[in-house]
Amino acid sequence: MSKDLLSNGIIIIGAGFASRQLVKNIRKFNADIPITLIASDSIDEYNKPDLSHVISQVQSADDLTKQTAQDFAQQYQLAIHPYTQITDINTDEKRIQSMQGEQWYYDKLILATGAKTYCPPISGHELMLTLNSQQEYRAYETQIHHAKRILILGAGLIGTELAMDFSRAGKEVILADISGQLLSSLIPSDLSGRLQSSLTEIGVRLMLKSPLQSLTQTDNGILATFNQHHQLTVDCVIAATGLTPNIELAYLAGLHTDRGIIVNEYLQSSDKDIYALGDCAQINGSLLPFLQPIQLSAMHLAKSLVGENNAPLNLPPMIIRVKTPLMPLHLAGETARKDLTWNINTTQSGIIAKGFDKNDVLRAFVVTEEQVKEAFALLRALSA
């Protein structure tokens, strides 16, 4: 694809990990195509997974910055528009407009609008804090650092990582979830006991099968009321109850949406000149808010945009790493399938668990602690 065919260039909305990977990959193949990056935040680069460890490492929000927006723009030769909220996409004119009234025309538009933390719509939900971005952490870091008693809602990937980190920082931590186990959407129940033990051993209080009913601000802190009227008072409540893709802009533009922005195997939305990438994209019916699929998707899309590739995206099995330092845990494959038979080998050095289908084909695995060294060999077997 020549520069002449992209005279208005590529516009990317959103400045998270997906956007940056896309920019870097485009520039590997083409130094001339105009790229414009527009986002509602600062566009400074930071490593989002580090948000799970900032408290124990006593880091401020500014400590997370790896590269300023200006340096990024200069290095990769692109135009940037930070703190800019896009409110309208005119697909007929291939034009976008910001809340401030600015307009840009595009040849190809990429929506990398990310996702926001889901907050349960209970009474007092406005008292919940979220830690899904550097911007959010900056807004709440003083409150979090001063808090001694912290309630974390959601015992999934992020909630479990935060619980371990806050406890290691010396805080009293309560981890609550409506499920009866940790990481319920990622691993079978037989495998969560060891992780639960590692959390309770460092003082984390687990409240599983405990739906939260309400939050109330009192003179002594935030009163949390659970089912059966069980109550406790904390200084801070953090929601880690999953992510909801930011699809509002796509929906208003008339693009097909479901849980995320629906894209085909080329990452195209229902409009052939608009693509979705990252946490907001729904690929083959799935949301894949993990680093490796985003990296591979960004590389694939970059090649497509510059005319280097016309093949459909094919994502192989990939490892998901749970960043719980006291018990490292890696998993891959269809670990949430209910029809798998699990072969679980537990030793003092960790767990190797393999999930097989009815035809005795390996479909998933989970490894912990010292056994994480087996992850790549198992991944090759899973991919075979």
Side-chain angles (χ1 to χ4, degrees):
M1 183 177 295
S2 70
K3 181 181 176 182
D4 292 339
L5 294 178
L6 287 177
S7 57
N8 289 319
I10 297 167
I11 293 182
I12 306 169
I13 300 176
F17 177 75
S19 300
R20 290 176 177 277
Q21 290 297 304
L22 180 60
V23 168
K24 293 173 183 179
N25 279 289
I26 290 173
R27 285 295 180 242
K28 287 180 183 178
F29 303 113
N30 190 301
D32 299 319
I33 291 177
I35 304 175
T36 301
L37 184 59
I38 304 172
S40 58
D41 61 14
S42 67
I43 309 187
D44 290 338
E45 181 177 13
Y46 68 98
N47 184 26
K48 190 173 179 180
D50 288 346
L51 290 167
S52 296
H53 307 287
V54 289
I55 303 301
S56 65
Q57 295 182 11
V58 199
Q59 289 181 305
S60 70
D62 291 337
D63 291 335
L64 297 178
T65 300
K66 294 184 174 297
Q67 185 179 37
T68 67
Q70 291 74 21
D71 288 344
F72 180 72
Q74 183 176 8
Q75 181 178 356
Y76 293 99
Q77 296 301 298
L78 67 151
I80 58 170
H81 298 274
Y83 304 112
T84 302
Q85 185 73 44
I86 298 300
T87 55
D88 182 66
I89 301 173
N90 186 316
T91 56
D92 292 330
E93 298 180 11
K94 300 177 72 169
R95 172 177 53 82
I96 63 173
Q97 182 171 314
S98 73
M99 184 181 293
Q100 297 88 340
E102 300 169 286
Q103 295 185 353
W104 296 265
Y105 289 87
Y106 63 86
D107 291 298
K108 302 294 180 182
L109 178 65
I110 292 82
L111 301 179
T113 47
K116 56 181 173 290
T117 302
Y118 170 78
C119 291
I122 62 168
S123 175
H125 65 88
E126 67 278 1
L127 297 172
M128 297 179 192
L129 309 183
T130 56
L131 287 178
N132 191 43
S133 68
Q134 183 185 33
Q135 195 170 1
E136 289 181 346
Y137 179 51
R138 182 177 286 112
Y140 304 131
E141 62 180 317
T142 300
Q143 185 175 347
I144 292 170
H145 277 288
H146 288 165
K148 296 180 179 179
R149 304 162 297 175
I150 294 182
L151 170 62
I152 299 174
L153 300 177
L157 192 73
I158 302 302
T160 301
E161 291 176 356
L162 288 175
M164 188 171 286
D165 190 61
F166 285 8
S167 183
R168 295 175 79 199
K171 298 183 183 297
E172 179 184 339
V173 179
I174 303 98
L175 178 61
D177 198 287
I178 60 174
S179 172
Q181 68 163 92
L182 305 181
L183 305 180
S184 60
S185 66
L186 290 176
I187 62 176
S189 58
D190 292 347
L191 298 178
S192 67
R194 196 174 180 114
L195 182 57
Q196 289 177 201
S197 296
S198 70
L199 284 174
T200 56
E201 285 172 4
I202 62 171
V204 174
R205 177 182 173 187
L206 298 178
M207 293 182 61
L208 303 177
K209 295 184 179 179
S210 299
L212 181 65
Q213 304 294 324
S214 66
L215 296 173
T216 306
Q217 183 68 61
T218 71
D219 293 338
N220 296 322
I222 298 173
L223 179 67
T225 301
F226 292 84
N227 58 336
Q228 300 176 342
H229 305 291
H230 178 73
Q231 294 182 322
L232 57 87
T233 300
V234 295
D235 303 310
C236 180
V237 179
I238 295 177
T241 42
L243 296 175
T244 301
N246 294 318
I247 63 173
E248 294 82 1
L249 186 60
Y251 177 79
L252 291 173
L255 304 181
H256 295 171
T257 60
D258 182 28
R259 291 181 299 150
I261 303 170
I262 298 173
V263 296
N264 63 16
E265 63 272 28
Y266 301 96
L267 298 175
Q268 283 176 310
S269 72
S270 52
D271 183 299
K272 64 180 181 62
D273 293 317
I274 302 179
Y275 302 76
L277 182 68
D279 292 357
C280 67
Q282 183 172 327
I283 306 171
N284 295 325
S286 299
L287 301 172
L288 301 171
F290 304 109
L291 295 184
Q292 195 173 359
I294 292 174
Q295 285 177 314
L296 294 176
S297 297
M299 181 182 297
H300 188 276
L301 180 55
K303 290 181 178 179
S304 297
L305 290 171
V306 300
E308 295 286 337
N309 177 32
N310 292 315
L313 175 66
N314 182 25
L315 293 173
M318 290 168 280
I319 294 175
I320 297 172
R321 296 170 176 83
V322 183
K323 300 180 297 300
T324 42
L326 299 180
M327 184 185 156
L329 189 153
H330 293 181
L331 58 101
E334 302 167 281
T335 54
R337 276 180 58 167
K338 304 300 183 185
D339 63 333
L340 297 184
T341 299
W342 285 88
N343 179 340
I344 302 174
N345 182 17
T346 302
T347 66
Q348 286 188 337
S349 61
I351 295 173
I352 299 179
K354 305 174 185 177
F356 296 91
D357 65 15
K358 64 181 180 180
N359 297 316
D360 205 30
V361 175
L362 181 67
R363 294 297 183 183
F365 69 83
V366 180
V367 290
T368 73
E369 296 143 288
E370 293 179 28
Q371 300 300 334
V372 298
K373 64 180 182 294
E374 302 296 328
F376 287 104
L378 287 168
L379 187 66
R380 286 195 294 271
L382 193 64
S383 304

